[in-house]
Amino acid sequence: MERNGSLLDDYVLSLLDSARPRVCFLPTASGDADHYVVRFYRRFSASCQTSHVSLFRRDQGVGGVEDELARHLLAQDLIYVGGGNVVSLLGTWRAHGLDEVLRSAWRKGIVLCGPSAGSLCWFEEALSAFHGAPRSVRGLGLLPYSNCVHYDAEPGRRQEYHRFVGDGMRAGFAVEDGVALHFGRRRLRRVVSSRPDARAYRVEPTADGVRETRLEVCYLGAEAQPSSSAANEPPARSSGRRSRAAASARGVTKLVGASPEEPEPVAT
């Protein structure tokens, strides 16, 4: 739902094995802001079966009651989490039991994605600076790394993330706006971008400080151009048989390669 295009959204939709996929929006981090929900429907309703879940409104958005939310979410092809306050997001999900529902969705192979807070939430740890000083936040832990978004957009993010990783936060990934990290199970498969110059990094502690390694990023705009090269073709649709999460920071970035070690996969 980027203002200047939909390359990242198109990339996420390309992972789905459905002509008209079921896509549900969770705008929890924004307090279920009306304008955000409207923007979601404008972007996805023409090509998808769309719905949203509101936890702050009496009308939840799916025509059901709380104990039907799990059934609804587990019937989706894609769950799209909006940006905002990740602390409020996680607290609200845990109060409603949606943290466990989303873990079940991931194990089932439903694609999970989102920008900003919708990226931070999937990781073991995340750096949040929504209000006040930067702080470490414990996420859902689907991905056993840390995450930092808006790496180029907010002053001090890089320095603070380095400080936290150096002080014991898990090694992880930092992304500039317009960059997305695509994970299959718990392994980084690709980094893609909606901006030709956007970057992503692997950040990890060392004996004498912190090492930041720039990752290879695949610009999706180049892939959209006609080419005889198979390397520039859009990704094939997935069969949905493997768990995966697509995490983004206000968009998508490009990357192929530079995968970290892969832990044992979870059961599907």
Side-chain angles (χ1 to χ4, degrees), residues 115-136:
S116 194
S119 171
L120 301 176
C121 62
W122 313 117
F123 291 80
E124 184 73 29
E125 293 182 85
L127 180 69
S128 174
F130 191 85
H131 285 306
R135 56 179 291 191
S136 173

Side-chain angles (χ1 to χ4, degrees), residues 37-263:
V37 175
V38 169
R39 195 166 68 185
F40 164 75
Y41 281 105
R42 285 176 176 170
R43 169 62 185 88
F44 289 97
S45 61
S47 60
C48 305
Q49 300 178 56
T50 49
S51 63
H52 76 282
V53 169
S54 172
L55 299 176
F56 289 98
R57 308 294 177 87
R58 197 173 192 85
D59 177 7
Q60 295 182 13
V62 298
V65 295
E66 280 189 18
D67 57 4
E68 294 180 338
L69 293 181
R71 176 182 58 80
H72 179 78
L73 289 173
L74 293 176
Q76 302 303 303
D77 298 300
L78 168 66
I79 297 174
Y80 196 125
V81 178
N85 189 329
V86 70
V87 176
S88 298
L89 168 86
L90 292 167
T92 303
W93 281 357
R94 286 163 179 153
H96 288 267
L98 286 194
D99 54 336
E100 293 303 323
V101 174
L102 290 170
R103 288 190 180 94
S104 296
W106 182 68
R107 294 187 180 99
K108 187 178 179 181
I110 296 171
V111 176
L112 310 174
C113 76
S116 194
S119 171
L120 301 176
C121 62
W122 313 117
F123 291 80
E124 184 73 29
E125 293 182 85
L127 180 69
S128 174
F130 191 85
H131 285 306
R135 56 179 291 191
S136 173
V137 175
R138 185 162 295 278
L140 296 184
L142 304 186
L143 302 173
Y145 317 105
S146 63
N147 185 217
C148 179
V149 298
H150 309 314
Y151 211 47
D152 61 334
E154 298 181 7
R157 282 268 185 166
R158 176 182 257 111
Q159 179 180 348
E160 289 298 320
Y161 188 44
H162 281 211
R163 180 172 68 85
F164 274 90
V165 171
D167 287 344
M169 177 182 277
R170 296 195 69 142
F173 301 91
V175 291
E176 298 181 353
D177 287 356
V179 176
L181 304 169
H182 174 189
F183 290 86
R185 297 183 186 266
R186 294 173 172 173
R187 182 178 180 181
L188 181 65
R189 299 294 184 183
R190 199 179 187 205
V191 181
V192 295
S193 175
S194 60
R195 291 169 38 195
D197 58 344
R199 293 168 295 224
Y201 303 90
R202 171 77 163 154
V203 180
E204 50 199 339
T206 64
D208 55 355
V210 172
R211 177 171 61 244
E212 179 182 275
T213 305
R214 185 171 173 177
L215 301 175
E216 184 181 354
V217 175
C218 177
Y219 172 48
L220 294 173
E223 291 193 343
Q225 301 300 319
S227 172
S228 59
S229 172
N232 285 333
E233 293 179 3
R237 291 184 181 274
S238 170
S239 65
R241 293 178 181 174
R242 302 204 311 172
S243 302
R244 66 259 189 194
S248 67
R250 277 194 197 157
V252 147
T253 251
K254 62 177 184 176
L255 156 72
V256 180
S259 298
E261 66 280 3
E262 181 176 14

